[in-house]
Structures are given as structure tokens and as C-alpha cells.
Amino acid sequence: MPLKDVTVIINIKKPSALTGLGTPLILAQKTGAPSFKIYGDIDGVKADFAESTDTYKAARVAFKQGDTSTAKVAIATYDGTEITAAQTLAKYYNEDWYFVSLATGTVADYIAISDVVEGEGFKLAAHTVDSIEDLTTLSVKKYDRTFVMMHDKLNQYPHLALIGGHGSKPVGSITYKFKKLIGVDPAPYDATTLLAIHALNGFAYVAKNGNYQTSEGTLLSGEYIDVIHGKDWVKVNMEQAISTLFVNNDKISFDDVGIPQIEGEARTILEIGAQQGIIALDEAELPLYTLTAKRRSQTNAADRVERHYKGLSFSFELAGAIHETTVNGEMVY
């Protein structure tokens, strides 16, 4: 019997409490058996990791991002000999976190972590490197679920500043470009270097137009972070809503009374997705999505025998974000 009764599959088609999905996970090397713990503040982290450790410093960056800082940070440990970071990640993959980073590691370690995330097809990995060579090595992988920042000061953890300060905002409400990072100095990259970074689908934290800001917000595949974040939000919340419907009712009948109940839960999630900015609105401010539910008479008899309803489908237009603009004007004498 399956351990999950509701599966939502979303394919991104490009034209020619609700789960927040924002908690950072830090993978930390530490002697002893693997462990997983969620911390509500930096003092809690300090009780388990000395202030001199990379783990403490990384968590402090995530927690120190001002009013929008994450409310919690997860830390999972591995000993680095019998258990690797990737093995610990796999062990705790279904715990409460969304963005995973290493407290410290090599490019090979980053690849091992991102391979796990890519294989799971859910959640995101975040890394920072300090050279074009390392970024190139990672970029070749074209990961759909990894973003890489380039910065000249790795010990400032700009990727953790980004997800710690902005990852817990309502999914769909932000793009990851133009973001200010507290405690992170802008990298001294010129326009040529920045173009090279962007060509590899990485991004940086720089001074631009008088402001310190992230220069982009892309994954190594070239897709935008907020697109995949929004896709995951719709998937997990729709699964959760429909599962709760099943649990809270003695029976959802396989007929034209029961089917609309499932349809209603799906519609609610899509409506909230539009309110949060995941789904685009038309000129009348109506959400641009379609939702179709086959009636009982349209379903397969064999599916009815198996009690497996497969008739619900939906599509929506991404709201996306504006990252550049051109303004035309004229002067008249």
C-alpha cells in the first residue's frame, strides 16, 4: 500500500496553515551519530556549537537579517568519516526544512548535496563559491534545484543571508533579485565579471545604482528560484489540503457529490497561490488558471474499482517578476 495517497504533479510549461517552505537547513560536521534539530534562535545554536565553528557563524548570518529573518534554522550533523553530508541529508530529507547548505565544504561536497536534492525533485540547495572556476564546475551540472552565488568572502555566507532574510517570506511574494543582505559586503566585481557569472547562471551581491543588492536570482538550470519555490508550494499545499479532506471525512464518495469536494480543495490552493503572487492575474485581477474535474461518468470503471480518482487537472500562468525595464520619454520645446 502506498504511504502517500495524494500526489500532485506539476510540469512547468513555458510559452513560445499552509506550508511556508522557507526554513534553512545547515549540514554540519560534528563527531557522533547523525542528528537533526530545529533552533529558534542563535542562543540555542550556541549551546550545541561553539561560536568559533562554521556552523554557528552560518546560523548567525541566517538569524541576523532584521525584521524578515527566519524564525528557525535546522541543523543536521554528520561525522565525515562513516557518515557523509549527503547521507545525512538523505536521512533527514523529509524533515521540516526547504533550503539546504553546508556550513563548510568543497565543490565536490556541493555536488554531492545537489545530486541528492536533484534526485528528490523537491526543495533547493544553496551554495557560495569564490571563483569562476568553481562556479563553472557547478554550472555544468545545470541543476534545476540549486542556486550558486559568487562572492569574494565565503565567511560572510551570502547564500544563508539571502535565504535567512527572504526565504521565509510568503512564497510568490518576492523575486530573489534586488535583495539586501545584512552583514554581507558587496563583492568588488566589475561589469565584465558579473556578465561571466550570469552567463553561468550564478549571481552575486554587488553595489548597483547606489544600492547593495543581489544581481539575479537564478538556479543553475537558468530557471528562477521563485518559479521552483512557487511550484513546490502549490504541490505540497494541494497534497496537504486534499489529504486533510480525506482524513476529516468518513468517506469521499466516488461520484458527482464527492468529486467536487476534491475539486474545491484544489481551487482553494490555486486561489491562495494567486493572492500570494505565484499565479498571474488578468486585467480584471482574476487568477489565470484553469481547473478541470472529470465527472464520475467520465472516469474509467477500472479506476473506480481501484478507488483511484485520476480526473483532476489544472494549469496556471506564472506571475513571474519584472527584473528589467525600459522607459521611453520625449522632450518638447
Side-chain angles (χ1 to χ4, degrees), residues 1 27 32 45-46 112 125 142 146 152 158 165 210 254 257 261 267 302 329:
M1 297 294 289
L27 298 173
V45 177
K46 185 177 177 180
K142 300 295 181 184
T146 294
D152 63 320
F254 204 136
V257 173
Q261 294 180 64
R267 189 177 301 280

Side-chain angles (χ1 to χ4, degrees), residues 272-290:
I272 296 172
Q275 293 169 16
Q276 291 193 183
I278 298 170
I279 298 172
L281 305 179
D282 65 14
E283 61 183 9
E285 299 188 6
L286 297 175
L288 290 168
Y289 72 82
T290 60

Side-chain angles (χ1 to χ4, degrees), residues 210-279:
N211 296 305
Y212 297 166
Q213 57 187 279
T214 49
S215 65
E216 254 308 338
T218 53
L219 300 157
L220 290 180
S221 64
E223 186 56 273
Y224 291 100
I225 298 169
D226 56 284
V227 169
I228 299 301
H229 205 182
K231 171 185 173 181
D232 284 352
W233 185 94
V234 173
K235 171 184 168 63
V236 72
N237 282 287
M238 194 173 291
E239 287 180 349
Q240 192 175 78
I242 297 173
S243 293
T244 301
L245 173 71
F246 290 155
V247 169
N248 289 344
N249 288 273
D250 290 335
K251 183 178 79 169
I252 302 298
S253 56
F254 204 136
D255 58 21
D256 293 343
V257 173
I259 291 170
Q261 294 180 64
I262 300 173
E263 180 185 6
E265 295 297 330
R267 189 177 301 280
T268 295
I269 297 303
L270 294 174
E271 289 288 338
I272 296 172
Q275 293 169 16
Q276 291 193 183
I278 298 170
I279 298 172

Side-chain angles (χ1 to χ4, degrees), residues 21-26 74 97-101 123-126 147 160 163-164 166-168 176 225 229:
L21 303 183
T23 302
L25 168 65
I26 299 171
W97 60 270
Y98 186 76
F99 298 96
V100 60
S101 300
K123 303 184 178 182
L124 296 176
F147 75 79
L160 277 162
I163 59 182
H166 304 282
S168 294
Y176 285 82
I225 298 169
H229 205 182

Side-chain angles (χ1 to χ4, degrees), residues 3-253:
L3 295 178
K4 186 164 73 171
D5 300 304
V6 180
T7 301
V8 175
I9 301 170
I10 303 176
N11 294 313
I12 299 177
K13 184 177 182 181
K14 295 185 177 182
S16 249
L18 294 171
T19 301
L21 303 183
T23 302
L25 168 65
I26 299 171
L27 298 173
Q29 188 168 354
K30 186 178 183 181
T31 301
S35 64
F36 178 90
K37 185 174 179 179
I38 293 178
Y39 297 86
D41 55 35
I42 194 60
D43 289 335
V45 177
K46 185 177 177 180
D48 293 337
F49 298 90
E51 292 182 55
S52 60
T53 62
D54 292 317
T55 305
Y56 175 87
K57 294 174 183 176
R60 183 180 60 189
V61 168
F63 274 126
K64 68 178 292 187
Q65 297 303 309
D67 294 340
T68 61
S69 292
T70 181
K72 55 187 178 180
V73 168
I75 299 177
T77 64
Y78 61 98
D79 63 13
T81 54
E82 295 185 7
I83 301 295
T84 66
Q87 289 170 325
T88 282
L89 175 60
K91 178 180 177 68
Y92 297 113
Y93 209 88
N94 292 322
E95 298 292 341
D96 181 17
W97 60 270
Y98 186 76
F99 298 96
V100 60
S101 300
L102 280 159
T104 185
T106 65
V107 171
D109 296 326
Y110 298 159
I111 289 172
I113 295 308
S114 290
D115 282 345
V116 174
V117 175
E118 196 75 10
E120 292 287 343
F122 181 61
K123 303 184 178 182
L124 296 176
H127 311 303
T128 296
V129 297
D130 61 0
S131 71
I132 284 289
E133 291 75 21
D134 285 348
L135 178 56
T136 299
T137 300
L138 287 161
S139 179
V140 168
K141 297 289 186 175
K142 300 295 181 184
Y143 289 121
D144 288 319
R145 293 181 169 274
T146 294
F147 75 79
V148 180
M149 297 184 69
M150 188 167 138
H151 199 271
D152 63 320
K153 298 182 180 69
L154 295 180
N155 61 359
Q156 292 188 349
Y157 303 98
H159 58 300
L160 277 162
L162 180 60
I163 59 182
H166 304 282
S168 294
K169 293 176 180 178
V171 180
S173 68
I174 68 165
T175 174
Y176 285 82
K177 188 177 181 181
F178 310 117
K179 294 298 169 281
K180 183 174 177 59
L181 310 179
I182 296 174
V184 179
D185 298 323
Y189 300 141
D190 59 22
T192 299
T193 302
L194 200 56
L195 283 173
I197 292 169
H198 290 171
L200 294 167
N201 291 326
F203 59 101
Y205 186 62
V206 294
K208 187 187 292 187
N209 298 326
N211 296 305
Y212 297 166
Q213 57 187 279
T214 49
S215 65
E216 254 308 338
T218 53
L219 300 157
L220 290 180
S221 64
E223 186 56 273
Y224 291 100
I225 298 169
D226 56 284
V227 169
I228 299 301
H229 205 182
K231 171 185 173 181
D232 284 352
W233 185 94
V234 173
K235 171 184 168 63
V236 72
N237 282 287
M238 194 173 291
E239 287 180 349
Q240 192 175 78
I242 297 173
S243 293
T244 301
L245 173 71
F246 290 155
V247 169
N248 289 344
N249 288 273
D250 290 335
K251 183 178 79 169
I252 302 298
S253 56

